Amino acid sequence: MKKIYSLHVRVLTGLVFLLAFVASCKKDSKDVTPAAPTNYATIGLYEYANATNRRAYVPITKVGTVTTAYLSIFDTGSTGMTIDADGLLPASMITSNGITVTGDSVVVNGITVTSQQATISYGGVGGITKEYGNLAYASVVMGDANGKVTASRIPFFLYYKAVDGITGKTLPTHSNDVFGVGPGTSATSSSIASPLSYFKLAPKITNGFKLAMFNNGSFSTTTPTYVSGLLTIGLTPNDLSSSGFIMHPMLTHSGAYYPDIAGTINYNGTNVAAEILFDTGTPSISILEDAAATSNITTLPAGTNVIFTTANGFSYTYTTTSNYNLTQVERPSYSLDIRTIFSIDFFISNEYLLDYTNHKIGLKNN
């Protein structure tokens, strides 16, 4: 700079002006508030209901190079995406005994199908639905013309048949496609995690998702209804600190994190310490586990108040009716499951957040 000052006045004057301009710019830049981090994406889901069951679906519109139009059950109670091989692979590769794979893997329609076979089970006592298939990899488009995102080369379970646990019959193709967004990895394969956990996020955005409150009026008995803005991928610092969610640590079993938290259930004057799963994949009946119950399984009558509280300060109260907030009480020795499960009805009255990175669940009343 001193060398420049030795030049004649015209240059110096221009330099003074330039320095003043730069100083002004620097001052202004200090006064500009950095833009708040934004979530990766927000998309809608489809809501559907029949006489008693309610479902939320994610549209799957492309797998590998195959354009599709499948609705996958949005499931906070399981981990990993499963999808029927019908329509994705040539019919000649799909047999009643499995998917034909030569060698360790084969690439068809942009889908890598491995020779690793497995079985996935859903449900509980009285009806366990099973899917049979293989570990696969592909890019997947989640969402449709209303809003979509693409996950590049994610692992998922490609099944060739699904068998109903009650009737023993093979289910129609793509009727049991599942979009499991729980934490950790699938019990079927440690290679499979939530499809929402594979997005490359910006700095200060935490790996996870949040659900807006489901719209009860949009559950339809005739056709799935699109509801915008329900699912947000990626969590901002504000989501985790200032937006009203009450955060709870996930519980662990054998060192693995589960989408369960501790709380207390009160029904008919009885208090029960509980491990609670909030499950969009349970379509109608909440299940309260009570080791002191007088029978293996009991349906609470309409008009029963159920109160759920946590030590962190969250509380939720609902009343059973003849077709809404249906609730059963089970003995764990009968169900072989210690978890109390709140069905999809919980999400009609509350917001939900799952933080994959810090292993926490956020709950928010509405």
Side-chain angles (χ1 to χ4, degrees):
M1 294 296 287
K2 288 183 179 179
K3 183 177 181 181
I4 296 176
Y5 285 162
S6 65
L7 300 178
H8 55 75
V9 176
R10 278 184 68 183
V11 176
L12 181 60
T13 303
L15 179 62
V16 171
F17 173 79
L18 178 61
L19 290 175
F21 178 75
V22 171
S24 176
C25 288
K26 288 183 177 180
K27 182 179 180 181
D28 289 344
S29 66
K30 292 180 180 179
D31 293 339
V32 174
T33 302
T38 57
N39 309 97
Y40 182 86
T42 297
I43 62 174
L45 302 175
Y46 282 83
E47 296 182 358
Y48 173 77
N50 57 25
T52 56
N53 293 337
R54 296 172 177 83
R55 288 290 193 192
Y57 293 102
V58 178
I60 303 298
T61 49
K62 193 171 187 179
V63 179
T65 60
V66 182
T67 299
T68 64
Y70 304 133
L71 291 179
S72 186
I73 299 167
F74 185 85
D75 185 15
T76 55
S78 69
T79 302
M81 176 179 136
T82 77
I83 191 165
D84 199 313
D86 183 81
L88 299 179
L89 302 181
S92 60
M93 288 185 63
I94 307 170
T95 73
S96 58
N97 296 316
I99 299 172
T100 303
V101 178
T102 302
D104 291 335
S105 65
V106 62
V107 179
V108 181
N109 297 333
I111 304 167
T112 301
V113 187
T114 76
S115 59
Q116 298 179 42
Q117 298 176 325
T119 302
I120 290 182
S121 299
Y122 297 98
V125 172
I128 297 179
T129 296
K130 293 185 177 182
E131 296 178 353
Y132 302 84
N134 296 53
L135 171 66
Y137 297 84
S139 62
V140 177
V141 177
M142 311 163 190
D144 55 18
N146 295 298
K148 57 190 175 183
V149 293
T150 301
S152 300
R153 191 172 166 75
I154 67 170
F156 59 94
F157 188 69
L158 188 65
Y159 67 93
Y160 65 92
K161 71 174 179 180
V163 179
D164 185 271
I166 297 176
T167 65
K169 295 181 178 180
T170 299
L171 295 170
T173 57
H174 291 284
S175 63
N176 205 64
D177 291 356
V178 176
F179 194 87
V181 297
T185 58
S186 170
T188 300
S189 172
S190 60
S191 298
I192 300 176
S194 164
L196 299 182
S197 68
Y198 292 101
F199 290 96
K200 185 177 180 180
L201 304 174
K204 297 185 180 180
I205 301 300
T206 298
N207 197 4
F209 70 91
K210 63 179 179 179
L211 283 176
M213 187 174 65
F214 287 174
N215 186 341
N216 193 35
S218 294
F219 282 106
S220 171
T221 58
T222 56
T223 185
T225 301
Y226 180 80
V227 181
S228 64
L230 287 181
L231 172 63
T232 296
I233 303 168
L235 303 171
T236 67
N238 182 66
D239 292 329
L240 300 175
S241 62
S242 307
S243 59
F245 283 97
I246 297 176
M247 305 303 292
H248 304 78
M250 293 182 199
L251 299 179
T252 60
H253 296 286
S254 301
Y257 287 94
Y258 282 70
D260 310 333
I261 67 171
T264 301
I265 302 293
N266 178 281
Y267 71 99
N268 290 334
T270 300
N271 282 318
V272 181
E275 180 173 321
I276 298 96
L277 166 66
F278 306 91
D279 189 9
T280 57
T282 296
S284 60
I285 301 175
S286 292
I287 300 172
L288 312 183
E289 294 293 340
D290 185 358
T294 56
S295 59
N296 284 337
I297 184 168
T298 304
T299 299
L300 295 180
T304 302
N305 288 329
V306 177
I307 304 170
F308 163 59
T309 57
T310 71
N312 293 39
F314 180 81
S315 64
Y316 166 58
T317 302
Y318 69 86
T319 302
T320 60
T321 71
S322 58
N323 61 0
Y324 179 63
N325 281 328
L326 302 174
T327 305
Q328 293 178 338
V329 178
E330 291 184 351
R331 285 176 173 168
S333 58
Y334 168 75
S335 66
L336 305 180
D337 193 339
I338 63 172
R339 298 172 301 171
T340 283
I341 300 175
F342 281 145
S343 75
I344 194 171
D345 291 344
F346 173 86
F347 298 83
I348 296 173
S349 303
N350 303 277
E351 293 184 52
Y352 178 89
L353 176 154
L354 197 152
D355 178 346
Y356 294 128
T357 300
N358 301 299
H359 314 297
K360 292 182 179 181
I361 288 174
L363 303 175
K364 182 180 179 180
N365 292 128
N366 273 294

